[in-house]
Amino acid sequence: MAKKTVATLQEGKKDGRSYSKVIKMVKSPETGAYVFDEQMVPNEAVKDFFKN
């Protein structure tokens, strides 16, 4: 019974996966150490995030 309820709830959220979490390693100008830049971006903007 619970499986049907969970499946029904997930059916309504079709736009929930239109965003991706992207992580980019960036060298800090101050210390020279690497830091991680994490963001949630729309799937269409993933390539633009890694270009910059």
Side-chain angles (χ1 to χ4, degrees):
M1 199 85 151
K3 289 184 181 177
K4 286 184 180 180
T5 304
V6 171
T8 306
L9 291 174
Q10 289 180 352
E11 262 182 35
K13 298 190 294 185
K14 299 208 185 235
D15 63 339
R17 295 191 181 161
S18 62
Y19 284 85
S20 299
K21 181 178 185 177
V22 291
I23 303 171
K24 180 170 49 171
M25 227 168 65
V26 181
K27 195 168 189 173
S28 173
E30 298 169 358
T31 62
Y34 285 97
V35 293
F36 294 98
D37 182 16
E38 298 182 22
Q39 291 183 11
M40 294 292 289
V41 297
N43 290 339
E44 297 83 26
V46 171
K47 289 184 180 180
D48 295 333
F49 175 79
F50 287 112
K51 276 185 186 176
N52 299 336

